[in-house]
Amino acid sequence: MKKNILLLFFASLCAFCAPLCAQQAWTLDSCISYALIHNVEVRQRINAARQGELAVREAKDRVLPNLSGYGSENFSFGRGLTADNTYANRNTNSFSVGAQLSVPLFQGLRVVRSVKYSETSLKALVEQSEATKDNVTINVMAAYLQALYSREALGVARMSLGVSREELRRREILLDAGKIPELDLFEARAQVSRDELTVVNAENDSVMALLDLANLLDIEADGTFDILPLSPEELPLPSLEEVWTNMQMANHTLRAAAIRRQAAGENLEVAKSGYLPTLSFNAGLGTNYYKTSGFNNESFAGQMRHNFSKSLGFSLNIPIFDGFSTRNSVSRARMEQLNSELDLENTRQQLYKTVSTAHAQALAAGCKEKASQAAVDNTKAAFDAMTVKYDNGRANATEYEKAKADYINAVADRLQASYERQLRIRILRYYNEN
């Protein structure tokens, strides 16, 4: 009875753990989603956007008045000058308290322009954050497909090793039957050794590809990290014109560059504000108390009441000459505006090169995949025919190994072309849809 209960418990535990074990294998979508949340550069860009929001609030707060209060207590001891222009020993103390208000009425349009510049800069930061997410997504795609390719390349290497081992076994039988020279057996053993080395290298490449993907996701590749193959769905290749048209309207990198150019123009207007006058309103309230030893001083309450004062005023500042500070700021802003225009043009050119190159590579990879498939079929038929000829003594070992190598190379070329085409198509479709 206890044994049955234990078996039932372990069966239930295995059933519970099975989904958890299955979750160790990541899909492409899960890798991308995880990277967009945990990638350090993405998080830095999000933080930069938050700093941009703070800059907007700071710019808007500059229109608010400044209100401050003050208070002071002073003591004086010893000999000092009196009102009669003589010196005497006197002790004095004074106390004052008040408040001051300053209201900016006109700041040379600097505040309004600064708010507009800060808001535009915030838009650029948000677009740059989205552009960083796009770059991370594409990098994850490339690393994911590289890991899949390395895994299948390992399968091709193992297939080649399996054929070589089978051929070694056959040659041992043929040698025992006296149908082949001993040299053919030595060549078969050497080929097995070479294929074993190829398998070891392919295994290392597969491990490193998974490690690169794990590092990109910022997770530990502790041996349980694995990925699932992509769905066999055939994705159509969008046209270059369609992708480029959509990118010019929606690509975040291009939009960020365009908004930065707009912000540079607004920053130029902020710099020009230094040529305009500023006007502010000032008001103040205050009172004080003063006591001198040897004199009949009014009471504290009386002085505080009688010495109460009020002030109102306007302050106008007209810039006449500021050591060319404003002129230099305007010149610097103009150069920044020119740089932003050049940056936009360079971004547009680089993106078009990236898209056109990816499209050309996708087309080339598609043609190569078709040609490789034909090569696989032909080399496979040639290899099968060569195997029959070799078994019947009508071909030597060198011809056999060449036929085998041609077939394995054709399979590897088709595999490489297939994954190259899939990667470029996915990148183009991502650009086209985002």
Side-chain angles (χ1 to χ4, degrees), residues 184-223:
D184 287 4
L185 181 64
F186 293 152
E187 289 182 352
R189 288 175 179 172
Q191 185 61 43
V192 168
S193 298
R194 288 192 293 269
D195 287 347
E196 287 176 345
L197 178 60
T198 301
V199 168
V200 171
N201 292 333
E203 288 175 345
N204 292 335
D205 291 341
S206 180
V207 171
M208 292 304 299
L210 275 178
L211 181 60
D212 290 340
L213 178 58
N215 290 337
L216 192 59
L217 301 179
D218 196 21
I219 62 176
E220 293 185 6
D222 54 0

Side-chain angles (χ1 to χ4, degrees), residues 7-17:
L7 290 175
L8 181 61
F9 171 77
F10 283 114
S12 302
L13 182 61
C14 292
F16 174 76
C17 294

